[in-house]
Amino acid sequence: MAQALTAALGHALRSDRDVLILGEDVGTTGGVFRITDGLQTEFGPDRVIDTPVAESGIAGAAFGMAVAGLRPVAEIQFLGFAYPAYDQIVSHISRIRTRSQHRFTAPLVIRIPYGAGIGAAEHHSESTEAIFAHTPGVKVVVPSTPADAAGLLLTAIADPDPVIFLEPIRSYRRVRGEVADPPRPVAFGEAAVRRSGTDLTLVAYGAMVPDTMDAADDLAVAGIEAEVLDLRTLVPLDYDTLLDSANRTGRVVLVQEGHRTCGFAAELAATIQEEALYSLLAPVTRVTGWDTVVPLRRAEHHYVPSPERIAAAGRAVMEA
Amino acid sequence: MHQVLQTDGTLRAAAPLDVSTTRQLYAAMVAARTYDHKGTTLQKQGRLATYASFLGQEACQIGATGPLRPDDWLVATYRDAGAMWAQGYPWVNLFLGRTGDERGGAAPPDVNVLPPSITVGAHMIHAVGLAWAEQYRGTDRVALTMFGDGATSEGDFHEAMNFAGVFGVPVIFLCQNNHYAISTPRHRQTAAETLAAKADGYGMPGRQVDGNDLFAVYDAVAAAVADARAGGGPTFIEAVTYRLSPHTTADDPGRYRPAAEEEEWRARDPLDRVRRYLEANGEWSPAWQDELEQAAAADVDAAITAAEQLEPLGAAAVFDAVFAEPTPQLLRQRNRAATDE
Ligand SMILES: Cc1ncc(C[n+]2csc(CCOP(=O)(O)OP(=O)(O)O)c2C)c(N)n1
């Protein structure tokens, strides 16, 4: 997935001079995850900009650039370090269109690696996407495959509105797959059906998709055919695919790595009960991280939903 | 502290402007004050939400924007209506904002003025980004950002100054040190002797000017603009002034400052000073003053009428200005809002 993202950024920089990249260590070293590797050499330090260590400054400067008509792609090193930028996101980036009634807009992308799984230090394993989904005026994208990562990133850069682009850290090297050259844009608001099934629906996004697929394989061994939906974008949300699947299977397990309370799964569960209640054969169930600080490396496995926990939830809704 | 025009209207140094431009800027100061009085009055009548007056800060408002080109950027605050208007932002937009209508934020297409920042201190970095974009594109546009002494305590002030210094972007930071952030006096914002001294730490020039002196503000901003346009990077200017009004119409300054202090500053009124200067040069008369005030009042009255006559935004419009195209989330909510009503 890492290479797919690099390819997409290179393609975007090559196709449009208004695109530029800014962030901490994105230039000379190519970023802490090497996603921007080689781009400064190809496009120069004016387009791939190493900034001071200042997340609010990065977001705020990107905002100004975007209002002036550029297409900045900012990188924040880890989601746990995006909070200083949150004020710029919630107070300005997400609102300028409303505040100016379309006169000024902020078509920028903020790329942020997120999620647990590499046993890093505190603050390096956050999955707080719900905060952004809760923020009016920003789109929230969470890819799970290399082709989606590249394709959704191109769509994000071309989008007329600000996009929070969350990259699953543990998928960077682990998830592999073909990507067209140049990558093909992937539309927002279209969930992917990763596996068809008739017995129950498993809904996931980002880093949880591979684990959810593993859980579906486990369930299949027991004769349970799960459909796996990959939401790809939380904002905009593909209601049709979600509700269609819920109506067909009548059993839904929602998977999210983020903290449980007010997580995105809660929004999905509420929507399903509002709009598909009479199709349901079992309560809608969530498999989530907990309302705890994400534990450090040695205890992290207690937190992140595992294929086993997902499969167990699947069996439970089948028995309900 | 840089001063050109003294309180008695005599010059301490050469005037940076010819007399006819001075007359124009004086007229703008009169217009700004007319609007400002109207703002306070209308708020008392319940026709505006809270109003933040800039009474006493007109030399900053008009002196700062005087050296700008119409295509330059201005990123200012809730207290900078005078500057925004001088840079092309219509009175009607300013009134709309104050009546509580988002359409106030829609500057005309050729006016590069962002809607006023309500968050203290978060907007200077926006000016940095705008100026950076102009630098990247190779235009010679600059960005001016205005803020108060309180804003220099916010973290984003540091990030904005630092980015501007590091990348040498064409931005002018104009801090109106009006001595108070609501009730908090200037010395509680920083232990630094002057705010201008802060510029040093960011590798940019810092100047302290008499903020009630139209010529001093104009002079300093004009030099900073020329420098920025020529690729010389950012400048920080501390304009020392005083807010003669309450912080907003909801504030009572009697709780935190002596009336005698206000009187002291009233004697340094920025309009009086320019008027005395013009009068001494035979360029001011009571008749002309009446003419200016009447013309300004007519403009401002027309703007408030236009603002009040506009139908409030409908429910659908509320949903339609979040994204370029409403998301499925918003479409559903828009329908629900319509059926709920
Ligand atoms: C981030 C933030 N904190 C607090 C406030 C409330 N507030 C509004 S104006 C103000 C004082 C600002 O003082 P200063 O920057 O000196 O500007 P002035 O109002 O004197 O022009 C405060 C605290 C706010 N609007 N934004």
Side-chain angles (χ1 to χ4, degrees):
Chain A
M1 178 181 294
Q3 285 161 8
L5 288 162
T6 311
L9 288 170
H11 179 66
L13 285 160
R14 225 164 278 128
S15 341
D16 184 355
R17 255 201 67 81
D18 285 344
V19 175
L20 37 82
I21 290 177
L22 71 162
E24 297 158 13
D25 308 296
V26 295
T28 318
T29 66
V32 286
F33 289 105
R34 304 287 179 269
I35 304 302
T36 52
D37 198 20
L39 297 178
Q40 194 183 64
T41 312
E42 184 177 348
F43 300 101
D46 293 340
R47 295 191 68 197
V48 181
I49 304 162
D50 279 322
T51 67
V53 185
E55 290 74 17
S56 187
I58 292 168
F63 170 85
M65 290 174 165
V67 170
L70 299 182
R71 295 269 168 174
V73 182
E75 177 179 299
I76 303 287
Q77 290 189 335
F78 287 87
L79 186 48
F81 306 132
Y83 307 129
Y86 184 64
D87 177 50
Q88 286 292 338
I89 295 168
V90 67
S91 301
H92 300 288
I93 290 170
S94 64
R95 290 163 184 245
I96 187 64
R97 184 185 286 280
T98 299
R99 184 182 294 157
S100 71
Q101 296 291 293
H102 302 280
R103 165 67 177 89
F104 297 110
T105 59
L108 59 87
V109 180
I110 304 182
R111 295 179 37 247
I112 319 176
Y114 88 96
I118 59 162
E122 196 190 344
H123 312 290
H124 292 71
S125 307
E126 311 275 294
S127 185
T128 46
E129 64 279 1
I131 295 175
F132 299 104
H134 189 70
T135 303
V138 291
K139 297 185 178 176
V140 182
V141 178
V142 199
S144 76
T145 70
D148 274 6
L152 290 167
L153 184 53
L154 291 180
T155 304
I157 294 169
D159 196 89
D161 286 297
V163 179
I164 305 296
F165 194 88
L166 297 170
E167 300 173 1
I169 292 172
R170 64 178 180 277
S171 306
Y172 270 148
R173 315 276 157 204
R174 227 178 276 168
V175 176
R176 310 191 144 267
E178 289 299 309
V179 180
D181 178 23
R184 268 193 290 278
V186 172
F188 284 0
E190 292 181 11
V193 180
R194 297 292 177 205
R195 187 182 197 287
S196 300
T198 48
D199 295 331
L200 83 158
T201 304
L202 304 177
V203 183
Y205 50 91
M208 289 316 307
V209 171
D211 296 308
T212 304
M213 292 295 282
D214 288 350
D217 288 344
D218 283 357
L219 290 168
V221 173
I224 301 169
E225 289 305 325
E227 183 145 293
V228 177
L229 305 188
D230 174 357
L231 293 179
R232 305 207 275 197
T233 62
L234 308 187
V235 182
L237 180 64
D238 181 353
Y239 289 93
D240 293 345
T241 303
L242 176 74
L243 293 171
D244 170 66
S245 186
N247 279 319
R248 275 189 289 104
T249 64
R251 299 175 202 271
V252 183
V253 175
L254 306 165
V255 183
Q256 115 200 337
E257 183 172 328
H259 310 296
R260 191 170 184 85
T261 300
C262 298
F264 198 71
E267 176 59 32
L268 298 174
T271 300
I272 292 165
Q273 78 81 24
E274 279 174 341
E275 302 197 32
L277 181 69
Y278 301 111
S279 304
L280 294 180
L281 305 169
V284 175
T285 301
R286 287 175 290 168
V287 182
T288 69
W290 309 118
D291 291 354
T292 65
V293 174
V294 182
L296 300 181
R297 191 166 71 94
R298 298 172 69 194
E300 196 180 77
H301 61 280
H302 297 304
Y303 177 91
V304 182
S306 61
E308 292 72 30
R309 268 172 69 197
I310 301 166
R315 282 190 294 275
V317 296
M318 290 309 295
E319 284 156 18
Chain B
M1 182 156 62
H2 180 58
Q3 192 189 50
V4 179
L5 194 55
Q6 307 184 97
T7 321
D8 63 3
T10 59
L11 289 173
R12 229 170 116 165
L17 296 166
D18 59 31
V19 174
S20 101
T21 317
T22 307
R23 276 171 61 97
Q24 279 171 25
L25 295 191
Y26 179 72
M29 290 170 84
V30 171
R33 182 160 287 186
T34 306
Y35 163 86
D36 195 61
H37 281 314
K38 194 78 186 177
T40 300
T41 310
L42 291 172
Q43 198 283 333
K44 289 195 179 128
Q45 297 169 358
R47 288 159 70 186
L48 300 184
T50 338
Y51 177 74
S53 162
F54 51 82
L55 187 69
Q57 301 182 209
E58 293 87 351
C60 293
Q61 300 283 305
I62 302 304
T65 41
L68 294 184
R69 259 187 354 220
D71 62 335
D72 286 328
W73 290 97
L74 175 65
V75 189
T77 78
Y78 50 83
R79 200 178 302 291
D80 298 316
M84 291 174 66
W85 166 75
Q87 194 57 19
Y89 208 85
W91 289 134
V92 60
N93 287 61
L94 290 158
F95 276 129
L96 272 173
R98 288 291 174 189
T99 60
D101 190 313
E102 287 81 352
R103 284 166 293 188
D110 55 342
V111 172
N112 290 333
V113 179
L114 261 49
S117 178
I118 308 291
T119 60
V120 170
H123 63 289
M124 294 88 88
I125 187 72
H126 305 162
V128 171
L130 291 161
W132 203 347
E134 298 301 343
Q135 181 189 54
Y136 174 75
R137 288 194 162 136
T139 77
D140 67 348
R141 280 186 197 158
V142 303
L144 170 71
T145 181
M146 298 173 71
F147 49 97
D149 41 302
T152 64
S153 300
E154 291 280 358
D156 276 356
F157 166 74
H158 161 68
E159 299 196 19
M161 292 283 284
N162 194 43
F163 271 58
V166 168
F167 297 102
V169 302
V171 63
I172 296 95
F173 295 90
L174 182 79
C175 177
Q176 292 171 89
N177 171 6
N178 65 7
H179 286 81
Y180 293 90
I182 310 185
S183 68
T184 309
R186 145 70 184 83
H187 69 266
R188 288 280 178 178
Q189 297 297 342
T190 174
E193 198 171 320
T194 69
L195 296 171
K198 292 187 178 235
D200 248 11
Y202 301 98
M204 73 175 81
R207 296 188 73 186
Q208 195 186 48
V209 306
D210 180 344
N212 283 18
D213 172 355
L214 176 73
F215 287 166
V217 176
Y218 186 96
D219 218 13
V221 175
V225 167
D227 207 33
R229 268 203 227 295
T235 299
F236 178 87
I237 299 166
E238 173 188 1
V240 181
T241 181
Y242 194 85
R243 149 168 75 67
L244 289 171
S245 59
H247 167 71
T248 64
T249 39
D251 174 52
D252 170 14
R255 298 176 79 96
Y256 55 83
R257 67 187 193 190
E261 185 184 282
E262 290 181 26
E263 286 320 307
E264 229 173 88
W265 279 93
R266 224 171 274 284
R268 297 178 207 153
D269 187 301
L271 272 77
D272 289 348
R273 205 181 293 200
V274 185
R275 178 175 51 72
R276 287 183 191 124
Y277 166 78
L278 288 173
E279 196 175 3
N281 285 277
E283 294 285 342
W284 181 90
S285 67
W288 183 53
Q289 180 76 26
D290 285 348
E291 210 178 288
L292 291 181
E293 285 173 12
Q294 278 165 22
D299 278 0
V300 164
D301 286 342
I304 186 74
T305 305
E308 288 183 337
Q309 278 175 353
L310 205 60
E311 281 294 309
L313 285 179
V318 170
F319 291 95
D320 292 351
V322 181
F323 294 109
E325 298 292 333
T327 55
Q329 274 102 324
L330 286 165
L331 289 174
R332 278 162 186 260
Q333 291 163 30
R334 191 176 75 184
N335 288 340
R336 174 150 297 181
T339 46
D340 284 357
E341 264 181 12

